[in-house]
Amino acid sequence: MQQPTSKLTTRAGTELDIRLAQPGDEFLIDQFFDQLSPEDRRFRFLATSSRVGRSLIEAMTRNDGRDRTFLATDAGNGRLLALAMLCFDPGGERAEVAVAVRTDHKAHGIGWELMRFAMDQARAQGAHWVEAIESRDNVAAVSLERELGLSVAPLEGDPTLVKVSRNLKAD
């Protein structure tokens, strides 16, 4: 098993080990998505689906090119509590981030810490901007992203979505 890339502690005291996903983590990631509520899966993928496709899960474990999937596990028992994906544009200037937290572990600061970690990783890889597309209904995520300094704007062409973004070079 790969060593953690980082250790984080949330405001609620949850200790997390953060590491890159790797081949062999497919079952762990599949189980994680099964433990999300239907609403949380809809917010994460912006679509209703009871299952996450095998090809997407396999892509999350490759970490090829500049795209990365980070797994956040409970430091005490190794249980996967959250994951974050960073997908860079071809020029490496923009990184799209997507975070998902187990439904039964929300409101403990895990999403906040993982989003901050992902933004730091994007900055370290040279991205100038970090952005995400969110459902307007995902009030908790949009609020968290505002707390982290991301601005919110309507997504042109889809009134159900918003684009959140932050200029990392302005920090």
Side-chain angles (χ1 to χ4, degrees):
M1 179 171 271
Q2 191 173 0
Q3 294 297 316
T5 59
S6 188
K7 291 187 176 289
L8 300 175
T9 302
T10 71
R11 68 175 184 261
T14 303
E15 293 182 6
L16 302 170
D17 289 333
I18 311 295
R19 67 173 177 84
L20 280 172
Q22 59 189 4
D25 285 330
E26 293 86 359
F27 182 71
L28 180 68
I29 294 169
D30 190 42
Q31 281 186 316
F32 170 79
F33 285 124
D34 281 349
Q35 295 166 348
L36 294 183
S37 71
E39 181 180 60
D40 286 340
R41 266 194 308 278
R42 179 175 66 87
F43 285 155
R44 170 58 184 83
F45 295 103
L46 301 176
T48 56
S49 176
S50 60
R51 301 286 305 156
V52 177
R54 180 83 178 157
S55 61
L56 178 57
I57 290 173
E58 287 174 357
M60 290 180 191
T61 66
R62 283 195 292 268
N63 292 305
D64 50 4
R66 293 178 49 89
D67 297 345
R68 301 282 183 259
T69 300
F70 296 95
L71 305 181
T73 58
D74 184 311
N77 61 26
R79 184 173 42 178
L80 181 57
L81 301 181
L83 59 78
M85 289 184 67
L86 277 175
C87 298
F88 291 83
D89 71 354
E93 292 186 9
R94 293 185 175 278
E96 184 175 348
V97 63
V99 173
V101 178
R102 271 181 51 152
T103 304
D104 61 345
H105 280 75
K106 288 184 157 191
H108 294 103
I110 295 170
W112 197 93
E113 285 296 334
L114 196 52
M115 182 69 167
R116 186 187 57 75
F117 176 85
M119 290 187 341
D120 289 346
Q121 293 296 310
R123 184 182 297 109
Q125 290 189 36
H128 297 191
W129 288 90
V130 67
E131 52 197 29
I133 305 299
E134 300 286 1
S135 167
R136 280 188 189 278
D137 296 339
N138 196 350
V139 175
V142 173
S143 177
L144 176 147
E145 290 157 342
R146 277 191 171 121
E147 283 180 31
L148 287 166
L150 284 83
S151 58
V152 180
L155 186 67
E156 190 174 321
D158 193 333
T160 67
L161 302 175
V162 294
K163 180 179 178 180
V164 294
S165 60
R166 179 172 170 182
N167 181 342
L168 298 173
K169 295 299 179 184
D171 296 341

